[in-house]
Amino acid sequence: MALLETSKYSQGSVLGSVNPDLASERQTASFSVEKLTALLDGGVEQTRIRRAVVDAIESDPVFSRENQYFQTQNERYEAAVKKAVHLQKKMHEMGWTENGPEYKYIYRALSGDVAFLLHRVFMRSISMLGSDKQIAKWIPLATQHKLIGSYAQTELGHGTYLQGLETTAVFDTATQEFILNTPKISAMKWWPGDMGRSATHTVVFAQLYVHGKCYGIHPFIVQIRSLQDHSLCPGVTAGDIGPKMNFEHIDNGYLLLKNVRIPRENMLSKFCEVRPDGTYVRQGSQKINYFTMTSVRISLIADEVLTPLMKACTIAIRYSVVRRQSKLKPGEQEAKILDYQTQQEKVLPQLAAAYAFHFTNDYLQELFNRGYREIQRKNFDMLPELHALSSGFKAMITQHCTAGVEICLRACGGHGYSLLSGLPSLYTKILASCIYEGENTILLLQTARLISSTAAKLQDLIQSGVKKHDAWNQCTVQLVQAAKAHCHYIAVKNFAETVEKLETKAGIQKIMKHLCDLFALHGIFSNTGAFLHDGYTSAAQMDMVTASYLDLLAVIRKDAVPLVDAFDFTDKSLNSALGSYDGQAYQRLYEWAQKSPTNQMSPAYERYLKPLLHNTLSKL
Amino acid sequence: MSVNADLRKERASATFQPALLTHILDGGPERTRRRKEIEALVLNDPDFQHEDLNFLSRSQRYEQAIRKSSLMVMKLREYGIADPEEIYWFKSFVHRGRPEPLDLHLGMFLPTLLTQATPEQQDRFFMPAWNLEIIGTYAQTEMGHGTHLRGLETTATYDPSTQEFILNSPTVTSIKWWPGGLGKTSNHAIVLAQLYTQGQCKGLHAFIVPIRQLGTHEPLPGITVGDIGPKFGYDEMDNGYLKMDNFRIPRENMLMKYAQVEPDGTYVKPVSDKLTYGTMVFIRSLIVGDSARSLSRACTIAIRYSAVRHQSELKPGEPEPQILDYQTQQYKLFPLLATAYAFNFVGAFIKDTYHRISGDISTGDLSELPELHALTAGLKAFTSWTANAGIEECRMACGGHGYSRCSGIPDIYVTFTPSCTYEGENTVMMLQTARFLMKSYTQMTSGQQVTGMVSYLNDLSRQRIQPQHVAARTVSVRINDPTSLVEAYKSRAARLVESAAKNLQAELNHRRSKEDAWNRTSVDLVRASEAHCHYVVVKLFAAKLAEVTDAAVRAVLTDLCLLYALFGISRNAGDFLQAGILTSAQITQVNQHVKELLAVIRPNAVALVDSFDFHDVHLGSVLGRYDGNVYENMFEWAKKSPLNKTQVHESFHKHLKPMQAKL
């Protein structure tokens, strides 16, 4: 479908007609691109639905991201709010519902450039943590957007370590209210999305105090802005936390509460309740809570982590066959930079990783669906394993993919540094995923706690008289490495098993086998120390690993462009001057640059340059 | 506000005087004094104050930069600051380590006039340029070609009938793209173009091309010029494009100190082309220094913040510990701190070497140039790659707050990262070094002695005489001794150079063309160059220790040097194991010792970043403030965000309210 897309700049320029350097790459594909796309989507029907959603979104001018790179933070935020509002209308128009098959493709089609994402988290947390009565009261209001919700957990002073949160909620039996306070600066809520400017309500996590006793962290629904004029409620101070590396369209906010009173009924009370007399009651199992966190970690992998890496690979690889530089043989045309071994060694392992993690994600989704069914049956046996796996994979995949996007960015040389390449914003966006939903190092340690392959070492230290907690800290570097190795192993194993199950037709199995080998060999090649140290691999074998690894690069090189074409990103979704389907990178770069606001006459000339050039500096 | 108690405690526990270490980094107490004097001139000057740049749009940032640059030029002259290093300091304080639109005018246009213009051309251009009536840039890179200069496509065709050059951008890819200051600021450019005269192409030459009308600043007829749009960083710089259509300039505008075109079109060749090596070495040495400084700044921020932030618990019931007490945090940051020190010393070394031999260059002795050229190419790539990754690691070590612009690290990163590309793309640089290594290896195998930093290759030929297989020899590496570790790195470099050379030969034996064989070995070649550069860095760091007179400072630098060397071994254990330089048992010891060193360095960590002596204004970070009052100042900073300008954002009235009314 990218083929059919015509750019509005195509009149009078070469845009739209495919660059012969890119066209020739497509003629030699060893497999059917369309079939691989269907495999990635999970079936032909899924591909069809996805394309229909993408088409509906992209053909609507409100959702355009065309000027994104030129907009200020204020403009980006306003556009995102506008899109969020418009999306409601669009969904209604198209007959898409939250439970329909289209829903999961909307976010991808919008490239995440939309406000009120936390509104969904707000609703989810009420559904999960609220009593039936609370759900009946709040969910309809939220669904109809009578209010806009956010989710306020992280504070200035504490993130991943939830027990350390400092916001307080003190129960006042006299008025049957909770009194919420931000006792010190580090207790200020900081980072929650949609909270800086948009949200009217938010779920605040606070330390619950009843009769002077602390019961730990609990969730409370707090109204922060007026439903009439959007002004802040009494006792509430809130605002935007200022510019970040990305997410300019989101108003990540701060929130300071001073004696803000909320009714007793606003504490989300599916599992814990404070009775009118102040009695604290715990009911049901809280284990399901962990499942929410774990499922969020897994659900973000596809959209927030894999998609950016796949887009970055698409851009870098297409650009690498369009850009020619220097000569490989005297007298010949300059070579495509993808023909250089060093360039292959940069981008092709990232491509292999994108495929590997796609299948890892399938595997995890399947595992979670199974886990979810078990939990529905009140069987919590799988929870510890799911928790450990979700932590470890979230950390390993985000780290790997983030590094991969940066490698793609730098593999595009100077032009990769232009925002118009699309790569800087893919990078700054994906790297946030290393932090949110649990900082990576800490998550890996959680995995390590379960697998503890360094258990023996820990045992030694404990026996040698070091206290257990010190012992843990002294081993953490090793534990992190062990956890990463564990997840890497599963990823390789799963990829290999997936390849075996693929149908042999259409050449797909063969190319997937190559990618799987490359993924595995790259893992060894970049960690030779670990493999030699274990004695698992000999020095001579290592030479063979290196040789086969380098040979494979040349093999995969031939299918590199079809392999990224199979990801099936439209030009609008890539939003890249370098990576579009037609390969007209230079022409597009030139045309896009001319639209830059900096090319309108700047006041700097009259004010500063002119006096400077006319040698009247002293008048400044 | 008083200094945060944690930081006070950290500073009190240091085992050495940071000021003494600062002197070493600056090159003597007198240099430190002078640097601080110049810093004060800028910081106390109300003309150089402005709003936090994070809250300004790109156009506004450009405008601020131009305003400050104009004042800077005037004040430099007023204060009589003329020494290049002092100018660099002044400029860097004014612009807080960021690029500015006059960078290429001052750093490329003027120096190129001095070195490549004839006396007549200097008369015509230099004084107007010095007085900023002419603002110039240096237009080399094109849309289609960067590091590979021979591929540039802009043409300058000589027309003897009018005694003019006709400049053309014949293709889209030939449009000049990226030169700083080209988009909006400059009215002249030194343009590199393929010279055609008498029907023949004579290769790349430099031409002075007026691009904008003096007075109105409008582009001249035949010139299309503009800004290339938003980038990852460099917001204050108007990187530009330039397209020329039959644009004519007089014959006298070709820079003709070396090569010449006579009025009838006869081409006169330059004497030597090695001379351009000098400039390249100089600029690459600046990038090595920049790698050191940028990484030092990031380390300062991350380490101070890690001493201020408390999180979680190490022992139940105890207060939350400083995150710097976690081993994983130390493991992220201390090797980078050691690297920052190593690169500072490498930067100083290259600068000194350059100054030492630039005397030789002017007397015509170019013998040391090829090695220095090869070495700086590799070190430029090695240090910028490492610093680039290190800055990101520092940012991530600051968790979520590192992602906010207020941490300052995003800006350090986006400003620094293009140095992996400009002045020679890093992979290409590594391959240049590899070319020199392969040449030296061939010399060695043909029985010649090689000298300089590659002299370790001579050992390979000596080892070959021994009957024993090299890999089987036991090596006695003492992991507590920097000198011994230098030897280990030396062996690794020798091994990887030899292995790359053999693989290259094997490819050639398969009757591949030279170029094809080179390409099929290039991953090995890059690894060999990296190992060579790594060895040089360890060697220079170890050598520096002997120069330090203060025992306390020497002790802490020795810890850092050991950490740098051992961490490098740990990370590249495969190379050392495969070559038989270290045994598996020794690698285990190395890993263990790295962790012990983390604990040893821990009490000095804050003092070690204090020694870099970055002023808060220069650091530009709320997380890295000297006084450690992080949270209060984050709140103050956020209140100034553009989204907070009004209590209720206009989007509420435009979009939210109508939606709520409708539903």
Side-chain angles (χ1 to χ4, degrees):
Chain A
M1 77 171 293
L3 250 181
L4 300 173
E5 196 173 84
T6 49
S7 161
K8 68 175 228 190
Y9 310 106
S10 58
Q11 289 106 352
S13 88
V14 296
L15 300 190
S17 68
V18 176
N19 183 321
D21 281 338
L22 199 44
S24 66
E25 298 283 336
R26 293 181 173 127
Q27 279 154 14
T28 55
S30 75
F31 61 92
S32 155
V33 171
E34 187 62 21
K35 285 197 173 147
L36 183 53
T37 301
L39 173 72
L40 291 171
D41 280 322
V44 178
E45 177 60 10
Q46 293 296 313
T47 301
R48 191 194 61 76
I49 298 173
R50 178 176 56 73
R51 285 179 178 166
V53 171
V54 168
D55 195 43
I57 298 269
E58 288 185 352
S59 59
D60 188 328
V62 176
F63 296 121
S64 165
R65 293 191 296 135
E66 193 184 312
N67 290 316
Q68 178 177 312
Y69 301 128
F70 304 127
Q71 287 173 328
T72 64
Q73 197 193 352
N74 264 317
E75 290 163 342
R76 288 290 303 278
Y77 166 68
E78 188 180 328
V81 170
K82 188 174 171 189
K83 287 179 191 183
V85 170
H86 188 68
L87 182 61
Q88 301 307 315
K89 204 175 129 204
K90 192 85 193 173
M91 285 181 65
H92 185 71
E93 222 174 84
M94 301 297 297
W96 299 336
T97 62
E98 304 225 343
N99 304 315
E102 295 89 0
Y103 193 69
K104 64 174 172 178
Y105 298 121
I106 296 176
Y107 184 80
R108 165 169 158 149
L110 291 166
S111 293
D113 195 35
V114 63
F116 306 162
L117 296 174
L118 267 289
H119 186 69
R120 278 163 66 189
V121 180
F122 173 82
M123 287 171 68
R124 179 151 46 172
S125 61
I126 292 174
S127 313
M128 293 284 205
L129 307 173
S131 65
D132 293 345
K133 210 171 143 193
Q134 287 169 327
I135 294 173
K137 175 178 176 190
W138 294 101
I139 296 297
L141 290 172
T143 312
Q144 294 166 40
H145 286 87
K146 297 275 185 210
L147 54 83
I148 294 160
S150 172
Y151 181 86
Q153 179 177 297
T154 302
E155 294 173 359
L156 199 41
H158 289 88
T160 305
Y161 179 64
L162 294 185
Q163 288 119 285
L165 296 178
E166 297 170 295
T167 303
T168 58
V170 178
F171 186 59
D172 178 356
T173 17
T175 61
Q176 294 287 301
E177 289 171 319
F178 292 105
I179 310 162
L180 279 98
N181 268 299
T182 305
K184 55 207 269 208
I185 191 119
S186 56
M188 203 183 318
K189 293 293 173 189
W190 200 270
W191 281 110
D194 296 330
M195 197 174 76
R197 310 290 352 184
S198 307
T200 59
H201 288 67
T202 182
V203 171
V204 170
F205 282 78
Q207 302 284 0
L208 167 67
Y209 285 87
V210 184
H211 298 319
K213 188 178 167 198
C214 180
Y215 288 90
I217 289 294
H218 288 75
F220 302 85
I221 299 178
V222 182
Q223 180 172 356
I224 58 172
R225 287 191 175 87
S226 151
L227 290 171
Q228 303 310 312
D229 61 5
H230 216 61
S231 63
L232 290 170
C233 294
V236 172
T237 307
D240 174 79
I241 63 161
K244 301 138 295 190
M245 288 191 89
N246 197 320
F247 293 92
E248 295 97 327
H249 62 294
I250 301 288
D251 52 324
N252 295 87
Y254 59 77
L255 174 70
L256 209 151
L257 302 168
K258 197 171 175 192
N259 290 321
V260 173
R261 288 175 169 266
I262 56 168
R264 188 182 64 90
E265 294 76 22
N266 279 21
M267 177 171 131
L268 290 175
S269 56
K270 182 165 189 173
F271 302 107
C272 309
E273 196 188 355
V274 175
R275 298 251 165 90
D277 64 352
T279 318
Y280 178 83
V281 189
R282 202 178 269 279
Q283 55 209 4
S285 168
Q286 251 184 319
K287 283 187 183 158
I288 191 85
N289 275 348
Y290 288 100
F291 191 72
T292 320
M293 220 179 338
T294 13
S295 72
V296 169
R297 269 174 205 151
I298 294 305
S299 69
L300 68 86
I301 290 178
D303 282 339
E304 300 293 343
V305 187
L306 290 179
T307 301
L309 179 62
M310 287 170 170
K311 284 185 178 175
C313 286
T314 306
I315 297 167
I317 287 174
R318 285 183 183 161
Y319 177 64
S320 295
V321 299
V322 166
R323 186 163 177 92
R324 290 177 174 273
Q325 206 77 180
S326 191
K327 289 173 185 174
L328 268 173
K329 296 193 179 89
E332 279 188 5
Q333 201 185 359
E334 289 183 83
K336 294 174 175 179
I337 57 174
L338 194 59
D339 287 327
Y340 290 93
Q341 191 188 48
T342 46
Q343 184 75 356
Q344 293 166 8
E345 214 269 312
K346 286 174 195 168
V347 295
L348 299 183
Q350 314 318 319
L351 179 63
Y355 275 93
F357 294 142
H358 172 84
F359 294 120
T360 309
N361 185 49
D362 283 352
Y363 161 78
L364 290 173
Q365 294 297 348
E366 165 56 31
L367 203 65
F368 269 80
N369 292 339
R370 199 144 44 92
Y372 188 67
R373 285 194 299 270
E374 289 300 312
I375 286 163
Q376 299 271 314
R377 282 190 225 125
K378 303 275 177 218
N379 173 6
F380 298 106
D381 293 353
M382 274 177 83
L383 262 181
E385 191 200 342
L386 287 178
H387 184 62
L389 275 182
S390 78
S391 303
F393 273 108
K394 186 264 172 182
M396 183 196 66
I397 296 179
T398 52
Q399 228 165 28
H400 206 116
C401 293
T402 300
V405 173
E406 208 230 357
I407 289 168
C408 290
L409 190 160
R410 282 191 287 128
C412 292
H415 296 328
Y417 188 73
S418 168
L419 285 194
L420 307 179
S421 75
L423 291 164
S425 37
L426 285 173
Y427 177 60
T428 51
K429 197 162 180 201
I430 192 178
L431 54 80
S433 68
C434 293
I435 305 155
Y436 58 64
E437 299 307 331
E439 198 274 333
N440 278 347
T441 305
I442 296 165
L443 293 182
L444 285 167
L445 284 173
Q446 289 177 0
T447 310
R449 249 180 227 279
L450 185 86
I451 58 168
S452 266
S453 66
T454 33
K457 173 113 212 262
L458 205 57
Q459 201 63 39
D460 283 354
L461 278 168
I462 293 167
Q463 278 165 4
S464 73
V466 185
K467 271 189 245 121
K468 190 170 153 223
H469 309 291
D470 287 333
W472 178 262
N473 193 30
Q474 281 172 24
C475 291
T476 46
V477 166
Q478 254 169 321
L479 288 162
V480 166
Q481 285 160 355
K484 254 194 265 186
H486 176 73
C487 294
H488 204 142
Y489 157 72
I490 296 185
V492 171
K493 181 166 164 267
N494 175 64
F495 198 172
E497 286 167 3
T498 308
V499 169
E500 270 179 27
K501 278 180 254 160
L502 290 176
E503 55 166 333
T504 45
K505 277 180 284 177
I508 287 176
Q509 192 188 40
K510 194 169 161 209
I511 187 69
M512 288 298 117
K513 172 90 174 59
H514 288 320
L515 283 176
C516 178
D517 291 346
L518 186 72
F519 179 67
L521 289 173
H522 180 256
I524 302 176
F525 180 72
S526 358
N527 299 290
T528 53
F531 289 87
L532 286 165
H533 194 183
D534 289 354
Y536 189 80
T537 312
S538 72
Q541 282 173 322
M542 199 52 85
D543 282 337
M544 276 170 57
V545 165
T546 309
S548 352
Y549 168 65
L550 295 176
D551 286 347
L552 258 181
L553 291 176
V555 174
I556 293 169
R557 152 73 187 89
K558 295 189 196 118
D559 277 320
V561 168
L563 280 168
V564 296
D565 284 352
F567 294 143
D568 201 28
F569 291 112
T570 61
D571 284 356
K572 279 181 181 161
S573 111
L574 290 173
N575 209 10
S576 163
L578 301 186
S580 55
Y581 189 85
D582 66 12
Q584 303 292 358
Y586 296 122
Q587 185 68 31
R588 194 168 268 109
L589 200 52
Y590 184 46
E591 293 185 10
W592 286 13
Q594 289 171 45
K595 297 191 299 175
S596 172
T598 38
N599 284 328
Q600 276 94 60
M601 197 59 186
S602 154
Y605 174 69
E606 282 299 324
R607 268 187 229 159
Y608 305 107
L609 271 178
K610 201 170 172 183
L612 180 71
L613 291 161
H614 295 191
N615 238 332
T616 45
L617 280 176
S618 49
K619 287 181 197 155
L620 284 175
Chain B
M1 216 185 278
S2 64
V3 173
N4 169 292
D6 286 315
L7 282 184
R8 259 186 289 151
K9 192 187 77 195
E10 295 291 336
R11 289 178 177 128
S13 72
T15 61
F16 70 99
Q17 283 183 53
L20 295 179
L21 188 45
T22 306
H23 296 161
I24 293 173
L25 290 168
D26 278 326
E30 174 52 27
R31 301 301 292 161
T32 302
R33 190 199 60 76
R34 181 63 178 150
R35 176 175 57 77
K36 286 172 129 26
E37 189 172 68
I38 289 175
E39 190 176 79
L41 275 179
V42 175
L43 295 181
N44 300 331
D45 187 335
D47 282 347
F48 290 127
Q49 310 303 316
H50 51 78
E51 199 181 337
D52 191 316
L53 296 172
N54 286 299
F55 303 129
L56 302 182
S57 71
R58 222 197 120 206
S59 282
Q60 291 168 319
R61 281 168 83 147
Y62 168 69
E63 198 180 318
Q64 278 297 342
I66 279 285
R67 183 184 71 81
K68 288 197 291 181
S69 293
S70 316
L71 288 164
M72 173 184 83
V73 171
M74 199 171 66
K75 294 196 182 197
L76 276 171
R77 289 176 198 172
E78 189 186 314
Y79 298 138
I81 297 174
D83 172 76
E85 188 161 3
E86 295 189 358
I87 293 177
Y88 175 83
W89 285 337
F90 194 90
K91 183 182 111 56
S92 153
F93 296 135
V94 168
H95 291 282
R96 304 173 188 186
R98 290 167 201 271
E100 51 107 357
L102 293 188
D103 273 348
L104 272 92
H105 178 74
L106 303 171
M108 287 301 286
F109 190 77
L110 289 175
T112 307
L113 286 180
L114 282 177
T115 54
Q116 293 186 41
T118 63
E120 180 275 328
Q121 290 173 323
Q122 297 209 5
D123 286 347
R124 259 193 306 148
F125 294 107
F126 192 81
M127 280 323 286
W130 179 251
N131 291 326
L132 295 164
E133 288 155 37
I134 287 177
I135 296 179
T137 178
Y138 190 83
Q140 176 178 297
T141 301
E142 294 172 0
M143 189 143 26
H145 288 88
T147 304
H148 180 62
L149 291 184
R150 271 167 301 162
L152 296 178
E153 297 171 285
T154 302
T155 57
T157 311
Y158 184 63
D159 176 358
S161 68
T162 59
Q163 306 224 350
E164 289 171 319
F165 290 103
I166 309 161
L167 284 128
N168 269 301
S169 310
T171 57
V172 179
T173 44
S174 75
I175 297 172
K176 293 290 175 187
W177 201 269
W178 282 111
L182 173 63
K184 303 271 106 184
T185 314
S186 299
N187 53 26
H188 281 68
I190 289 176
V191 169
L192 269 86
Q194 303 285 357
L195 166 65
Y196 284 86
T197 180
Q198 298 176 334
Q200 279 185 314
C201 179
K202 299 291 179 186
L204 277 189
H205 290 76
F207 303 84
I208 302 175
V209 182
I211 55 174
R212 287 178 185 271
Q213 186 73 52
L214 298 184
T216 65
H217 211 58
E218 292 292 334
L220 293 166
I223 296 285
T224 309
V225 64
D227 174 83
I228 63 163
K231 296 142 298 189
F232 207 176
Y234 273 56
D235 277 1
E236 33 283 291
M237 182 68 100
D238 53 324
N239 297 84
Y241 59 77
L242 171 68
K243 187 167 167 287
M244 294 169 290
D245 296 301
N246 289 317
F247 188 76
R248 286 174 173 263
I249 56 169
R251 186 184 67 91
E252 295 79 14
N253 276 25
M254 173 173 141
L255 287 172
M256 291 209 260
K257 187 165 173 187
Y258 300 110
Q260 284 158 27
V261 172
E262 291 177 350
D264 67 348
T266 308
Y267 177 73
V268 185
K269 270 210 298 210
V271 198
S272 163
D273 52 358
K274 269 189 193 162
L275 281 164
T276 50
Y277 278 12
T279 326
M280 279 194 270
V281 168
F282 176 69
I283 290 174
R284 287 170 193 167
S285 78
L286 290 182
I287 296 179
V288 174
D290 199 28
S291 304
R293 260 185 308 278
S294 302
L295 184 56
S296 305
R297 284 172 68 191
C299 284
T300 304
I301 295 166
I303 288 180
R304 284 187 186 154
Y305 176 64
S306 298
V308 169
R309 186 162 175 96
H310 290 251
Q311 203 75 184
S312 191
E313 51 184 22
L314 269 171
K315 290 165 201 162
E318 287 193 8
E320 295 183 81
Q322 295 162 292
I323 57 173
L324 200 55
D325 284 332
Y326 289 94
Q327 190 190 51
T328 46
Q329 188 77 351
Q330 295 168 4
Y331 189 72
K332 282 177 199 167
L333 295 176
F334 295 170
L336 294 173
L337 178 63
T339 306
Y341 271 94
F343 289 180
N344 271 297
F345 299 138
V346 174
F349 166 82
I350 298 182
K351 201 175 70 187
D352 292 349
T353 314
Y354 173 74
H355 286 310
R356 180 170 58 78
I357 71 164
S358 58
D360 301 343
I361 297 171
S362 56
T363 58
D365 174 9
L366 306 177
S367 57
E368 273 190 271
L369 259 184
E371 188 196 345
L372 191 63
H373 180 244
L375 181 65
T376 49
L379 286 174
K380 178 261 176 189
F382 184 79
T383 57
S384 61
W385 265 337
T386 312
N388 185 67
I391 295 165
E392 276 300 75
E393 187 116 20
C394 287
R395 187 186 53 69
M396 281 190 247
C398 295
H401 296 331
Y403 192 75
S404 165
R405 293 262 170 192
C406 79
S407 76
I409 307 184
D411 250 341
I412 297 174
Y413 176 72
V414 297
T415 307
F416 179 75
T417 190
S419 54
C420 295
T421 309
Y422 61 56
E423 300 304 334
E425 199 277 328
N426 276 358
T427 304
V428 180
M429 292 298 97
M430 281 299 188
L431 289 171
Q432 275 186 16
T433 305
R435 230 170 254 287
F436 180 78
L437 293 173
M438 290 304 107
K439 218 174 103 191
S440 304
Y441 182 83
T442 312
Q443 273 178 12
M444 182 277 293
T445 48
S446 63
Q448 283 174 276
Q449 286 277 311
V450 290
T451 55
M453 289 286 187
V454 289
S455 53
Y456 58 80
L457 293 175
N458 297 324
D459 299 347
L460 284 170
S461 70
R462 235 172 283 135
Q463 285 165 16
R464 195 157 292 117
I465 305 165
Q466 298 171 350
Q468 209 177 12
H469 185 259
V470 183
R473 291 186 316 131
T474 48
V475 190
S476 55
V477 177
R478 297 178 306 281
I479 63 168
N480 257 323
D481 176 4
T483 328
S484 176
L485 296 174
V486 173
E487 291 302 310
Y489 273 91
K490 194 193 255 188
S491 307
R492 169 186 177 232
R495 285 295 143 210
L496 287 176
V497 169
E498 179 169 55
S499 152
K502 285 181 172 167
N503 290 347
L504 182 62
Q505 192 54 49
E507 292 288 347
L508 285 168
N509 293 346
H510 282 91
R511 286 190 221 129
R512 295 192 198 280
S513 73
K514 241 167 49 187
E515 292 77 10
D516 212 15
W518 181 263
N519 186 31
R520 294 181 59 93
T521 322
S522 52
V523 169
D524 293 330
L525 289 163
V526 169
R527 281 175 78 190
S529 293
E530 281 177 330
H532 175 68
C533 294
H534 209 157
Y535 153 68
V536 172
V537 176
V538 174
K539 180 186 156 83
L540 292 174
F541 199 163
K544 189 76 194 176
L545 300 175
E547 294 172 25
V548 180
T549 47
D550 183 87
V553 171
R554 194 171 54 243
V556 69
L557 282 181
T558 305
D559 293 336
L560 286 176
C561 179
L562 281 172
L563 180 64
Y564 180 74
L566 292 172
F567 182 77
I569 293 176
S570 175
R571 273 291 170 90
N572 299 284
D575 292 347
F576 291 88
L577 284 167
Q578 203 177 357
I581 301 162
L582 293 168
T583 63
S584 254
Q586 282 175 311
I587 293 291
T588 307
Q589 281 173 31
V590 166
N591 292 338
Q592 186 55 34
H593 200 45
V594 164
K595 289 190 283 178
E596 286 159 15
L597 279 167
L598 298 178
V600 172
I601 290 166
R602 168 67 187 87
N604 280 323
V606 168
L608 279 166
V609 297
D610 284 352
S611 303
F612 292 136
D613 200 25
F614 291 111
H615 192 282
D616 275 351
V617 171
H618 192 55
L619 207 53
S621 167
V622 180
L623 301 190
R625 296 167 59 94
Y626 185 84
D627 69 10
N629 293 313
V630 170
Y631 295 135
E632 300 82 345
N633 285 290
M634 275 181 83
F635 189 32
E636 289 311 308
W637 182 86
K639 286 190 218 164
K640 296 178 208 143
S641 168
L643 245 66
N644 290 333
K645 284 262 153 70
T646 53
Q647 179 64 255
V648 175
H649 197 269
E650 57 179 341
S651 295
F652 172 72
H653 303 290
K654 271 196 200 163
H655 306 292
L656 286 180
K657 210 170 172 183
M659 169 180 74
Q660 287 167 337
K662 258 185 252 165
L663 286 165

